[in-house]
Amino acid sequence: MRPLALVVASLLLPGPAAAKPTLVVAPLQSAKRDKENADTLGEMIRIQVGKSDRYTLVTPEDMGAIDEELKRQLSGGCDEASCIADLGGALGAQFMITGKLKRMGKRYILLLKLVDIEKVKAINTESVMAADPEVLLDLLESKIAQLLG
């Protein structure tokens, strides 16, 4: 009777949880004059991703020296598929968020892209515009939730 109880229990109890896919947030590209705002927004994006129950965040601390290489590559415009695949593979991440902080006139524009590194394909994109970087910050939580699906 005991073995049957163990079999039934093993069928009813959930098995080990599947590992969440890993995601890295690349530093936001920006003009020099907006670097501080881009750095702050990038940190806040990492915090929002870290709250997600869908992904495991690969943080700059996890990346160590690779983060500097990532910043160097992205500052040179790493939008090419091969570049993203190489960086993602080096980081051991399955997904990457890339983004740009731009200005058009008096408006700030934050462009975000969720990339499947293996397929080197954008899964989702989001953008938000505001007259002030603080407003971008206020809207960030909902935009990241939308980006991650």
Side-chain angles (χ1 to χ4, degrees), residues 10 16 35 43 82 102-103 105 120 133 135:
S10 69
K35 183 176 177 358
E43 289 175 29
S82 61
K102 301 183 90 59
R103 282 200 217 187
V120 194
V135 175

Side-chain angles (χ1 to χ4, degrees), residues 21-57:
T22 54
L23 185 147
V24 65
V25 177
L28 294 177
Q29 295 179 30
S30 69
K32 285 185 181 182
R33 68 181 179 181
D34 295 319
K35 183 176 177 358
E36 188 175 330
N37 287 330
D39 289 346
T40 301
L41 286 166
E43 289 175 29
M44 295 305 295
I45 291 168
R46 284 188 186 101
I47 289 170
Q48 294 305 317
V49 170
K51 292 179 180 180
S52 167
D53 58 356
R54 297 190 65 186
Y55 296 94
T56 298
L57 177 65

Side-chain angles (χ1 to χ4, degrees), residues 10 12 14-16 30 32 36 39 43 64 73-75 78 93 96 102 105 114 116 123 126 128 133 138 149:
S10 69
L12 295 176
S30 69
K32 285 185 181 182
E36 188 175 330
D39 289 346
E43 289 175 29
Q73 291 276 355
L74 290 174
S75 68
C78 178
M96 179 185 290
K102 301 183 90 59
L114 177 62
D116 180 321
I123 298 172
E126 286 293 330
V128 62
D138 293 338

Side-chain angles (χ1 to χ4, degrees), residues 7-133:
V7 170
V8 170
S10 69
L11 293 173
L12 295 176
L13 296 175
K20 296 187 287 186
T22 54
L23 185 147
V24 65
V25 177
L28 294 177
Q29 295 179 30
S30 69
K32 285 185 181 182
R33 68 181 179 181
D34 295 319
K35 183 176 177 358
E36 188 175 330
N37 287 330
D39 289 346
T40 301
L41 286 166
E43 289 175 29
M44 295 305 295
I45 291 168
R46 284 188 186 101
I47 289 170
Q48 294 305 317
V49 170
K51 292 179 180 180
S52 167
D53 58 356
R54 297 190 65 186
Y55 296 94
T56 298
L57 177 65
V58 177
T59 65
E61 295 78 21
D62 297 333
M63 295 186 282
I66 295 174
D67 189 47
E68 289 307 314
E69 175 62 13
L70 180 64
K71 285 180 184 176
R72 188 185 70 73
Q73 291 276 355
L74 290 174
S75 68
C78 178
D79 284 335
E80 297 175 22
S82 61
C83 180
I84 290 171
D86 289 346
L87 287 173
L91 298 170
Q94 296 163 291
F95 297 91
M96 179 185 290
I97 292 178
T98 62
K100 297 177 183 177
L101 178 63
K102 301 183 90 59
R103 282 200 217 187
M104 182 163 213
K106 295 181 181 180
R107 297 188 68 77
Y108 287 86
I109 305 166
L110 179 61
L111 306 166
L112 298 171
K113 188 184 319 182
L114 177 62
V115 178
D116 180 321
I117 293 171
E118 184 178 307
K119 295 177 183 174
V120 194
K121 179 180 176 185
I123 298 172
N124 200 1
T125 60
E126 286 293 330
S127 65
V128 62
M129 292 182 276
D132 185 298

